Amino acid sequence: VDIALLFPVESRKRFQYHPLRYIGERVLLIAAPPEDAEPQPQDALEMARLAMRIAVHETAQTAPTPAFPPREGSGRELLVRHIPGSWGKFAAEKISEMLPRLGQQVTVRWLLSETDPTDWRGEAVLFFTDGERRDDVFKTPQGLTDVHVQWDDAPDAPPLGAFLTEQALIEAFSSFGMVVCARIPRKPTTQEPQSFAFISFLYPEDAQRVGRKPSVEVQLTPTWTLELRPRLAKFGNSTDKRVAVKANESDVGFDWVHLCKR
């Protein structure tokens, strides 16, 4: 992320940054790998060397590199992210079960989490002959339904999201139905929490019921609660969605996998 801050994204969205490999392709003119290239494990040393090459190149320029647009997808790819590490050697088989119309071999690339070194997650890129075929596979699994919650941060005060945890959100909203996960988005540049979050419900009717409530309180400390304003999320499940999965057959709760069209 530190190197990416040198290269602004040509986009209307805020807090965006380019992946390191894509910066290398645009700035150092490194050839992009072919679509059908075999995914390789992430090499931390290789990425560090690439970051250093980009930094040295940029410091030698007389003017900063202008903003450039994000990488465009081919329109026929499906990215599978957040694959549970507990699936291990059965990950490809599990993905094929989740996407029964897939009809292709799956290769999983394992990544080490930057925030939790014990939490290995995998990703896989699936290529299709056309966008229609990809969309047919994408729509098969049922996606989670998100509730968007928001709160007000006081001016010149630490963001309340710094005191809020995903687990606290799950506990607060589980009384309304089966909650699979909660997410507090953070600014990529500073990791400062935003003043909103998403709660993902397994069943859409539970999310719809919560979305009609004027407010929901979440416990921050034994003596401190925060009032959240919930509403049904407007976007989601059209170009990307989270799908509930079992990380282990013995688990009572759910994990999730993220599907993204590109």
Side-chain angles (χ1 to χ4, degrees), residues 19 71-81 123-127 131 134-135 239 259-262:
R71 186 200 297 273
E72 291 187 7
S74 65
R76 52 191 181 86
E77 299 174 34
L78 186 61
L79 176 62
V80 186
R81 303 174 57 203
E123 68 175 32
V125 182
L126 310 174
F127 297 94
R134 178 206 59 188
D135 293 349
T239 59
L259 304 181
C260 307
K261 296 181 186 179
R262 65 181 191 182

Side-chain angles (χ1 to χ4, degrees), residues 207-222:
Q208 292 164 5
R209 185 169 60 253
V210 174
R212 291 191 291 266
K213 290 185 172 294
S215 65
V216 175
E217 287 191 344
V218 59
Q219 198 83 29
L220 298 182
T221 70

Side-chain angles (χ1 to χ4, degrees), residues 9 18 24 35 73 80 84 86 90 96-97 104 112 120 133 135 161 179 186 197 200 213 218 220 223 240 244 261:
V9 180
H18 296 293
E35 283 189 356
V80 186
S86 59
F90 300 106
S96 297
E97 292 175 358
Q104 64 174 271
L112 184 62
W120 283 86
R133 170 67 178 146
D135 293 349
V179 175
R186 296 178 179 275
S200 297
K213 290 185 172 294
V218 59
L220 298 182
T223 58
D240 78 294
K261 296 181 186 179

Side-chain angles (χ1 to χ4, degrees), residues 149-151 164 169 172-173 197 199 213-218 226-230:
V149 297
Q150 195 161 6
W151 56 89
L164 188 61
L169 290 170
F173 283 85
I199 320 297
K213 290 185 172 294
S215 65
V216 175
E217 287 191 344
V218 59
L226 175 64
E227 186 176 273
L228 309 178
R229 301 187 301 275

Side-chain angles (χ1 to χ4, degrees), residues 112-177:
L112 184 62
S113 171
E114 294 182 359
T115 56
D116 183 0
T118 65
D119 185 25
W120 283 86
R121 292 285 172 171
E123 68 175 32
V125 182
L126 310 174
F127 297 94
F128 299 86
T129 54
D130 53 57
E132 184 177 349
R133 170 67 178 146
R134 178 206 59 188
D135 293 349
D136 187 50
V137 171
F138 174 81
K139 69 181 182 183
T140 302
Q142 177 181 327
L144 303 174
T145 303
D146 284 349
V147 169
H148 176 276
V149 297
Q150 195 161 6
W151 56 89
D152 295 320
D153 285 331
D156 302 321
L160 291 173
F163 305 97
L164 188 61
T165 65
E166 282 85 357
Q167 186 58 39
L169 290 170
I170 291 173
E171 291 176 1
F173 283 85
S174 289
S175 59
F176 303 107

Side-chain angles (χ1 to χ4, degrees), residues 4-246:
L5 295 179
L6 300 175
F7 303 93
V9 180
E10 190 179 285
S11 172
R12 295 177 62 183
K13 294 183 178 180
R14 301 175 63 197
F15 310 120
Q16 301 293 301
Y17 62 94
H18 296 293
L20 190 61
R21 292 184 187 275
Y22 180 52
I23 296 174
E25 294 169 16
R26 292 293 300 253
V27 176
L28 302 179
L29 303 181
I30 298 174
E35 283 189 356
D36 56 355
E38 187 79 9
Q40 300 296 320
Q42 181 171 279
D43 188 327
L45 183 58
E46 176 192 350
M47 298 302 286
R49 287 171 175 162
L50 176 58
M52 184 61 70
R53 286 181 59 194
I54 294 172
V56 170
H57 176 276
E58 189 66 8
T59 55
Q61 306 307 303
T62 56
T65 298
F68 52 91
R71 186 200 297 273
E72 291 187 7
S74 65
R76 52 191 181 86
E77 299 174 34
L78 186 61
L79 176 62
V80 186
R81 303 174 57 203
H82 205 261
I83 300 170
S86 59
W87 283 4
K89 62 181 181 180
F90 300 106
E93 179 183 334
K94 294 281 189 181
I95 293 171
S96 297
E97 292 175 358
M98 181 180 65
L99 305 171
R101 300 182 183 181
L102 186 57
Q104 64 174 271
Q105 186 175 358
V106 179
T107 301
V108 177
R109 177 171 173 249
W110 295 103
L111 306 171
L112 184 62
S113 171
E114 294 182 359
T115 56
D116 183 0
T118 65
D119 185 25
W120 283 86
R121 292 285 172 171
E123 68 175 32
V125 182
L126 310 174
F127 297 94
F128 299 86
T129 54
D130 53 57
E132 184 177 349
R133 170 67 178 146
R134 178 206 59 188
D135 293 349
D136 187 50
V137 171
F138 174 81
K139 69 181 182 183
T140 302
Q142 177 181 327
L144 303 174
T145 303
D146 284 349
V147 169
H148 176 276
V149 297
Q150 195 161 6
W151 56 89
D152 295 320
D153 285 331
D156 302 321
L160 291 173
F163 305 97
L164 188 61
T165 65
E166 282 85 357
Q167 186 58 39
L169 290 170
I170 291 173
E171 291 176 1
F173 283 85
S174 289
S175 59
F176 303 107
M178 176 62 75
V179 175
V180 175
C181 63
R183 308 183 306 283
I184 304 175
R186 296 178 179 275
K187 300 175 183 178
T189 53
T190 64
Q191 288 301 301
E192 180 182 344
Q194 307 271 25
S195 59
F196 61 89
F198 295 95
I199 320 297
S200 297
F201 283 86
L202 182 62
Y203 302 111
E205 55 269 24
D206 294 333
Q208 292 164 5
R209 185 169 60 253
V210 174
R212 291 191 291 266
K213 290 185 172 294
S215 65
V216 175
E217 287 191 344
V218 59
Q219 198 83 29
L220 298 182
T221 70
T223 58
W224 184 17
T225 61
L226 175 64
E227 186 176 273
L228 309 178
R229 301 187 301 275
R231 62 174 173 80
L232 202 61
K234 294 181 179 179
F235 306 102
N237 289 340
S238 56
T239 59
D240 78 294
K241 61 183 175 182
R242 287 167 175 78
V243 178
V245 297
K246 288 285 188 180

